[in-house]
Amino acid sequence: MTIEVEITEQLMAGMYPIILIEAVPVTPYRGISLSTHADSTITLSPDTPRATELGNWAIIENRAALDGLKICMEYTNAASNLADPDKETIMEIAKVPPQIEESKPAWIQGKITLAIDNESLWYVGCSRCSKSVYGGCDYKFHCMTCGEPNTFGTPRPKLRVTIEDKTGCLNASVFGRCAEKLLLMTSKQIIVTNGIDAIDY
């Protein structure tokens, strides 16, 4: 059994294994990216006082919070969840380049306006990677984007917005939890508001 399979099985069983990784470069790609070298080592559930302390923190003190993050798949949006906007340099919209590297996002501050031509406030996405799919909700399929063979079509909120500051404006798309926060509604409430029965999707 590979360590990847063992970690997956433990997570599926509701456990949160402690993973010790040594000699691994860390780069800011999609939030945080790790890459291994020939001298890198990965140890699952090491028998050390620090690992025991971390395990107690996860299982005893914060299990409910970790369960919630896993259910909501917050780990798929590490770039925004791990960011600290207060420490980032705010860029004027007029200076935002036409193309932005995902590893080097541009931080802007402005007034957000919901586009009046929003045809739909939700879409069907892969339950694993959230990318748009051509399928119905709750249908099982193989996602061609992330490669997950047993994923399901899941309703995801989406918004088309305009962001404006004193230097200009730009169009943007807002998805998932960020869209829910802007509208102060859950995904199901957004679907119902959009004129579609949440039961039928």
Side-chain angles (χ1 to χ4, degrees):
M1 179 185 298
T2 65
I3 192 169
E4 293 88 351
V5 173
E6 190 173 354
I7 292 172
T8 300
E9 288 186 350
Q10 290 196 31
L11 289 173
M12 294 296 291
M15 302 170 62
Y16 293 101
I18 305 303
I19 305 171
L20 174 63
I21 308 176
E22 299 178 285
V24 175
V26 180
T27 55
Y29 177 71
R30 294 180 181 269
I32 290 181
S33 176
L34 307 178
S35 56
T36 58
H37 290 168
D39 59 343
S40 300
T41 60
I42 302 177
T43 305
L44 186 62
S45 300
D47 186 15
T48 65
R50 185 69 181 275
T52 300
E53 180 182 356
L54 183 57
N56 291 336
W57 174 89
I59 301 300
I60 298 176
E61 301 176 23
N62 296 280
R63 184 179 185 86
L66 292 175
D67 287 344
L69 292 174
K70 185 169 67 173
I71 292 173
C72 296
M73 299 182 69
E74 292 288 355
Y75 52 84
T76 63
N77 197 21
S80 62
N81 291 330
L82 297 176
D84 186 353
D86 292 334
K87 296 182 180 179
E88 302 291 343
T89 301
I90 303 299
M91 181 181 296
E92 294 180 341
I93 289 179
K95 296 181 180 179
V96 175
Q99 294 185 337
I100 300 175
E101 295 182 28
E102 191 168 1
S103 61
K104 298 178 181 179
W107 289 86
I108 61 176
Q109 183 175 4
K111 178 182 177 181
I112 297 179
T113 304
L114 182 64
I116 59 175
D117 60 342
N118 272 294
E119 296 182 359
S120 177
L121 299 179
W122 66 284
Y123 69 100
V124 179
C126 168
S127 60
R128 183 175 186 270
C129 70
S130 299
K131 297 297 183 181
S132 179
V133 297
Y134 294 99
C137 290
D138 297 328
Y139 281 89
K140 185 178 179 180
F141 61 93
H142 185 146
C143 180
M144 301 303 293
T145 301
C146 66
E148 172 59 44
N150 298 305
T151 189
F152 291 87
T154 305
R156 304 283 185 185
K158 67 171 183 178
L159 302 175
R160 292 183 60 249
V161 301
T162 298
I163 307 175
E164 181 180 4
D165 68 6
K166 62 182 180 180
T167 68
C169 64
L170 58 77
N171 297 321
S173 297
V174 184
F175 299 92
R177 297 292 294 276
C178 292
E180 291 179 335
K181 290 178 181 178
L182 281 177
L183 294 180
L184 300 178
M185 291 189 291
T186 65
S187 295
K188 285 190 175 182
Q189 290 173 330
I190 292 172
I191 293 171
V192 172
T193 301
N194 208 199
I196 300 176
D197 192 333
I199 297 178
D200 297 331
Y201 291 123

